[in-house]
Amino acid sequence: MAKEITSRSEDYSQWYNDLVRKGGLADHSAVKGCMIIKPHGYAIWENMRDQLDKMFKETGHVNAYFPLFIPKSFLSKEAAHVEGFAKECAVITHYRLMNDPNGGGVIVDPSAKLEEELIVRPTSETIIWDAYKDWIKSYRDLPILINQWANVVRWEMRTRLFLRTTEFLWQEGHTAHATAEEAVIETRQMLDIYATFAEEFMAMPVIKGVKTANERFAGAEDTYTIEALMQDGKALQAGTSHFLGQNFAKAFDVKFMTEHNTEELVWATSWGVSTRLIGGLIMTHSDDEGLILPPKLAPLQVVIVPIPKPTPELADAADKIIKDLKGRGISVKYDTDERNRPGFKFAEYEMKGIPVRLGLGMRDLEQNQVEVARRDTKEKTSVSLDGIGDYVENLLADIQSSMFEKAKKYRDEMITSVDDFDEFQRVLDEKGGFVLAHWDGTVETEKRIKELSKATARCIPLDSKPEAGKCVLTGEPSTQRVLFARAY
RNA sequence: CGGGGUGUAGCGCAGUCCGGUAGCGCACUUGGUUUGGGACCAAGGGGUCCCAGGUUCGAAUCCUGGUACCCCGACCA
């Protein structure tokens, strides 16, 4: 009728687009590859942001803000970093417009050319380390544990709402340490925070691991990642935490005096997650009826729908429920909109992924009960109004955990160990998901595997045990299995 | 950046081949009847047909260029 969603089986990409658009999360904007994040989508981001921010602060981090524009010369100071980002930077060349003397609106004023061009940050390591150079003189100035919430721009060739947009919102942590050991601990700590956030709040199971050299962040010594699996069997890199070694300290000449009066280079980390997480959230849980949101991140957790329409009696009953739920910190709305009938509202709230719906009509009131519908399983039950608060509170917790369990069961079933390349290819083609395979550790083999199978090395899982074996492609010796998948 | 597709009312589309002054469904407005899973009847309102140029007496339709989005590849969070 009003809003049809393409089914996942028919066209997975179109299903995703339909959910983003019809679920009210985002729209395309007038600028290529950029999106308008609409209130429902932005509210999810705000919930993610607030929770992560809390976790960052609990571990001693503070927020700051560095500029959007970076002098072009900064980017070229770290060789690997330039290599990684040069191809996707937006460049500011002028600072003024003027009326077109030939008519036809405004043109760039050729006399307003910048002495040094500016780039729009694709990430902020360079401008931050240029500042750290002045901030860090002594071991007493360390560590610096700064995070910033910001937008960044990466001029990608192909974009998809939330998953890869030209401009996106994220947080980037940038820390400076006196020792390598401390920086590594920080890198791993932030990876753990991301994993905890993904699993406990997004209900999205992830595999923690370290990236292969080929997949590593430009300028990092080691890149740690959390990898999630989407319902179509493709992997999604959901967050990364980098041990940057002394690469940026060298590039920006950031040294400090130790307590032994020696001069040493500073050790660094950076770590980030972005609005891409929203794409991961959608593709982990949602179904053909619309979004399914975990209660801990849902902009609205409970909606009460009067049946067939609002009346004073129903309003009284709803008020009592609202008071009870709000006292428990549960967000709830009583839908008094008389333009639509209940059936329409049911479909609409299902589309938007509201975890719990309470259907309240006179028939229910006469029996002192309410109809409770959970979005994740679409189960409906009638529950006594006495103790409804306890029931809903428990139900939300149950939805949160069962969404995680369901996603984890699927993910675990989609991890396949393979020992020869035919099987490697066949599993990817017929089943999808993660493939655990031996690899000889060379970039050449990794690239060859990608060419042949479209699958990339996602990570070397942190919990993997050393295991002697032979590379799935070359037969060369290998000491452990690596996680491969086709990825977003 | 290559290949394919699409752009017409808020949304989804027909009309384009074969040029003649724009239509359907949903949504919207008004009135009425309805109401436990996307209500029904009636009467209305709403359009630079993506943009710019060209051909023509006349262009949504033909030609040229541009632009945006979608799908598939190469590059990436």
Side-chain angles (χ1 to χ4, degrees), chain A residues 172-214:
Chain A
E172 46 181 326
H174 295 274
T175 69
H177 305 266
T179 65
E181 187 193 15
E182 194 183 303
V184 170
I185 289 170
E186 167 76 4
T187 309
R188 293 289 296 269
Q189 171 185 252
M190 299 323 289
L191 184 76
D192 287 344
I193 285 178
Y194 288 155
T196 300
F197 174 76
E199 299 202 334
E200 291 186 8
F201 289 84
M202 296 175 68
M204 180 174 79
V206 292
I207 293 171
K208 291 188 279 190
V210 63
K211 287 288 188 186
T212 60
N214 196 39

Side-chain angles (χ1 to χ4, degrees), chain A residues 9-20:
Chain A
S9 54
E10 188 185 328
D11 184 342
Y12 194 83
S13 293
Q14 192 55 48
W15 167 80
Y16 176 82
N17 288 329
D18 284 354
L19 251 63
V20 171

